[in-house]
Amino acid sequence: MSIHSNRRTRSILDNPRAERVRRVRALLRRSVRQKEGRFLAEGPQAVREAVAWCPQSIIDVYVDPHGRERHKDIVDAALAAGVFVHDVTAEVLAVMADTESPQGVLAVVEKVDVPLEKILEEGSDRPRMLVMLAAVRDPGNAGTVLRGADAMGADAVLVGSSSVDLYNPKVVRSTVGSLFHLPVVTGVDVQSTLMRLREEAGVVAYAADGEGDTPITEADLTRSHVWVMGNEAWGLTEEMSAACDQVVSIPLHRAESLNLAMAATICMFASSQARG
Amino acid sequence: MSIHSNRRTRSILDNPRAERVRRVRALLRRSVRQKEGRFLAEGPQAVREAVAWCPQSIIDVYVDPHGRERHKDIVDAALAAGVFVHDVTAEVLAVMADTESPQGVLAVVEKVDVPLEKILEEGSDRPRMLVMLAAVRDPGNAGTVLRGADAMGADAVLVGSSSVDLYNPKVVRSTVGSLFHLPVVTGVDVQSTLMRLREEAGVVAYAADGEGDTPITEADLTRSHVWVMGNEAWGLTEEMSAACDQVVSIPLHRAESLNLAMAATICMFASSQARG
């Protein structure tokens, strides 16, 4: 590895072809993320939240000179939490990252998802609100729903096995740190999971669908429930809808005029209102 | 112009350097759009809605062979409405468009905005809901809010002079046709417009702001009101907030965890619920 140092400056990794750089960059591939159980958090928002909420999951933080200066709060918090902070050149950071400009900071983090059992067993003193991404394929949508779930006080997000990989850098970026706040379960089988939620935890399933026959104002959102969000293009399959207790729609002035993230935001807001 | 034809096929424009192609492409520039009063609607969703709702505003529709076959409904509706439909090669269409793939169809349309006076003078038998993009800079956000406004039954959208150009191809695309459904006013001065709305039309202004002191559940959404959305990064300026009657917030589990489009969606949904 080409790390040079002198007495006056910190050592800085400046070789974009170094083995370490190559290994970080490899995490852009899903297969590598799966094998290593690690992923990339890019940019100050994501890294700040990772340091604040999951410092024990962080393997390394990388900063370029601009990032070290601009995001001193992150560097200080990371060091205080015992996280390794490595200096790299802007060129090296750009090679490591998926984004053209990760704004000077990036972290390699161990996967943060929890087993389904944890959600099922969790004692709850009040009704719960969960969100399931049954077949959400667009990284930006998945991340935005996660962000909204965090904002609206959801208790957990479950990601179906045919949805986009939650650790895709674009998803991680769109969550702007929410991934590190709220419990997530990945790779779930939609139908059997809905059944287990109902039987083992008393959680009813509401499919969000423009064609649903229950208007959202009539759905009982005061009891424990999970919002099931389908695919951007084709919504929920018949099997998925059938696995839900009710198919709920948002009354619209014009049909098909809400995208998935907006529909999910409204569903979760309605739940958050009902839960007080 | 290099238009060739024979007895068996329609004439097709196949020269990407033709004057007509150059003039369509020039509409990607804001200055040209302003000078000519025209803009581009790209892709089937936008063109379909333009043909359905504003055929009189369409100058020309362009289709490539794939588009003519795939979007026969649009071509037929355009022809039925007396709109010119021109055949071009896929290469020519790609040169005309902002998107890499406009999915075979594109239209040149005359601007569709209406003067502020039209909104002020409009007789209303029921309380109105308006939305103002005071300083929204991101094209995707602006388009998504417009789309949501359409879904939630807003009566009009007003775009401040420091917001992104409504006719930016990315904005048009994100509205997925809503631009052609609901009245829009562009280039408004935020403060004087809010004053005129209040004085001349009895419309009160609610600033949507995470720091607002009125929770959305306590805002009176049964009277005529306008939601004022600020900038993605810095929200509303003090002057803008001061020009509003109330500064309204959405109760959040975690601060700063909703993006502008999600916050706007929730505000408009709450209004739509209150209006019944």
Side-chain angles (χ1 to χ4, degrees), chain A residues 100-121:
Chain A
E100 273 185 49
S101 146
Q103 295 177 263
V105 57
L106 174 156
V108 173
V109 189
E110 271 177 15
K111 289 187 171 186
V112 293
D113 54 281
V114 300
L116 176 62
E117 282 64 31
K118 188 158 185 292
I119 307 298
L120 291 169
E121 288 160 13

Side-chain angles (χ1 to χ4, degrees), chain B residues 127-209:
Chain B
R128 295 201 280 169
M129 188 243 294
L130 308 174
V131 180
M132 180 184 281
L133 306 180
V136 174
R137 296 279 167 78
D138 178 74
N141 281 340
T144 302
V145 173
L146 221 123
R147 179 180 180 174
D150 189 17
M152 294 302 152
D155 296 288
V157 173
L158 311 158
V159 184
S161 52
S162 65
S163 279
V164 61
D165 177 24
L166 193 64
Y167 297 108
N168 175 314
K170 288 192 186 65
V171 177
V172 176
R173 213 149 53 226
S174 319
T175 73
V176 293
S178 288
L179 176 58
F180 303 110
H181 289 166
L182 93 171
V184 291
V185 183
T186 63
V188 305
D189 173 74
V190 173
Q191 276 132 297
S192 64
T193 302
L194 292 179
M195 195 183 293
R196 290 190 66 187
L197 280 170
R198 190 182 300 109
E199 291 178 0
E200 298 175 36
V203 176
V204 296
Y206 297 142
D209 191 299

Side-chain angles (χ1 to χ4, degrees), chain B residues 248-267:
Chain B
V248 175
S249 65
I250 298 162
L252 294 184
H253 183 72
R254 182 166 78 94
E256 295 185 40
S257 46
L258 278 187
N259 66 25
L260 184 136
M262 296 163 86
T265 300
I266 289 175
C267 291

Side-chain angles (χ1 to χ4, degrees), chain A residues 45 49 53 126 144-145 147-154 175-178 181 216-217 250-254 256-263 265-266 268-270 272-273, chain B residues 45 49 53 126 144-145 147-154 175-178 181 216-217 250-254 256-263 265-266 268-270 272-273:
Chain A
Q45 280 179 298
E49 301 299 323
W53 294 85
R126 64 168 197 153
T144 302
V145 174
R147 180 180 179 175
D150 190 17
M152 293 301 151
T175 72
V176 292
S178 289
H181 289 165
I216 193 166
T217 42
I250 297 163
L252 293 184
H253 183 72
R254 181 165 79 94
E256 295 185 41
S257 46
L258 278 188
N259 66 26
L260 185 137
M262 295 163 87
T265 301
I266 288 175
M268 298 186 291
F269 172 71
S272 130
Q273 276 194 308
Chain B
Q45 281 179 297
E49 301 297 325
W53 294 85
R126 64 168 197 153
T144 302
V145 173
R147 179 180 180 174
D150 189 17
M152 294 302 152
T175 73
V176 293
S178 288
H181 289 166
I216 192 165
T217 42
I250 298 162
L252 294 184
H253 183 72
R254 182 166 78 94
E256 295 185 40
S257 46
L258 278 187
N259 66 25
L260 184 136
M262 296 163 86
T265 300
I266 289 175
M268 297 186 292
F269 171 71
S272 131
Q273 275 193 309

